[in-house]
Amino acid sequence: GDSVTQMEGPVTLSEEAFLTINCTYTATGYPSLFWYVQYPGEGLQLLLKATKADDKGSNKGFEATYRKETTSFHLEKGSVQVSDSAVYFCALIPPGTGGFKTIFGAGTRLFVKA
Amino acid sequence: DVKVTQSSRYLVKRTGEKVFLECVQDMDHENMFWYRQDPGLGLRLIYFSYDVKMKEKGDIPEGYSVSREKKERFSLILESASTNQTSMYLCASSESRGLNIQYFGAGTRLSVL
């Protein structure tokens, strides 16, 4: 079945370091891909999205590129800040499911030290 | 901005109690969802609703029921709470068209003792 696998955390970085959080998926066809972020004490919110192969989603300095050939959607940021400390979830919506079935990864917790 | 409000941030209940978790959204979204979030397991879908009085089981519906009497409100019911239902519960809503981006509430952390 459809699934999302993301790297286990926690990931601990110093401020201004480069961030990569790996995400790979299993799905038939061309799913829509998302990164959601959950800040402490809050619900999830959409960070970025991509709907077709080679699309690049970007927001707040974060980027991810939809790679069909490697079934990946890795999250990157060139210079993290303490305020980026949060849990990051990779997710997909399989095609033909009417948007009712969002499949989430387990989440990766990021700690950024000053 | 879309606002999804969950009635309680923290709840402590006893085993066997009937528990109601309430969720209200203010953006006239057709779809609403209940998830539970557990460490290492991510989010798992319990139930969703695509219209008033309509409901569909998600991946882990056992031990739960839901109610959607009004478009803006979606309730999760634990008929007889058990300790294995101790978890963080997240409500979300989305439009029925477009990318189906989900908007989440802040969550209810439920402890069943």
Side-chain angles (χ1 to χ4, degrees):
Chain A
D2 302 318
S3 65
V4 175
T5 302
Q6 55 183 111
M7 61 189 289
E8 286 190 30
V11 174
T12 303
L13 296 173
S14 297
E15 210 165 20
E16 299 184 3
F18 185 86
L19 169 70
T20 300
I21 300 178
N22 290 335
C23 171
T24 57
Y25 67 88
T26 301
T28 54
Y30 288 82
S32 296
L33 300 176
F34 305 83
W35 278 100
Y36 284 83
V37 58
Q38 184 179 31
Y39 297 105
E42 299 182 13
L44 281 72
Q45 58 186 272
L46 180 70
L47 181 60
L48 53 83
K49 62 187 185 298
T51 58
K52 59 183 188 295
D54 300 323
D55 261 3
K56 178 184 282 189
S58 61
N59 186 27
K60 300 182 181 180
F62 290 89
E63 293 182 339
T65 301
Y66 190 142
R67 301 285 189 201
K68 180 65 175 173
E69 63 276 13
T70 54
T71 62
S72 65
F73 192 55
H74 304 320
L75 183 67
E76 297 182 336
K77 187 175 186 184
S79 176
V80 294
Q81 306 300 312
V82 172
S83 57
D84 294 326
S85 298
V87 182
Y88 293 82
F89 292 89
C90 186
L92 67 84
I93 295 179
T97 58
F100 301 123
K101 188 84 171 170
T102 301
I103 297 169
F104 291 88
T108 302
R109 185 176 295 276
L110 170 67
F111 292 105
V112 181
K113 303 180 295 183
Chain B
D1 277 353
V2 175
K3 193 165 179 66
V4 179
T5 304
Q6 295 185 229
S7 55
S8 305
R9 293 300 303 272
Y10 301 94
L11 274 180
V12 180
K13 297 292 181 182
R14 297 282 181 191
T15 303
E17 279 193 76
K18 190 169 186 175
V19 182
F20 293 86
L21 304 183
E22 307 286 346
C23 175
V24 177
Q25 51 98 0
D26 66 358
M27 283 303 291
D28 203 36
H29 284 170
E30 292 82 6
N31 305 328
M32 296 189 75
F33 306 82
W34 275 107
Y35 295 90
R36 62 177 283 174
Q37 180 181 12
D38 299 289
L41 297 178
L43 276 69
R44 294 180 290 167
L45 182 65
I46 304 171
Y47 270 95
F48 68 93
S49 168
Y50 54 89
D51 201 352
V52 175
K53 296 192 186 297
M54 306 305 291
K55 60 185 179 184
E56 294 286 343
K57 293 180 180 179
D59 299 316
I60 52 164
E62 297 77 20
Y64 303 94
S65 62
V66 290
S67 172
R68 193 161 179 206
E69 296 296 318
K70 294 184 177 181
K71 190 175 185 180
E72 67 271 19
R73 186 179 297 272
F74 192 37
S75 303
L76 179 69
I77 303 154
L78 287 65
E79 294 288 343
S80 177
S82 63
T83 54
N84 63 11
Q85 292 178 309
T86 292
S87 186
M88 171 70 86
Y89 290 88
L90 295 174
C91 175
S93 71
S94 72
E95 293 182 309
S96 62
R97 56 194 177 281
L99 276 179
N100 305 116
I101 295 165
Q102 297 198 7
Y103 296 85
F104 284 82
T108 296
R109 185 166 294 282
L110 173 66
S111 296
V112 182
L113 306 178

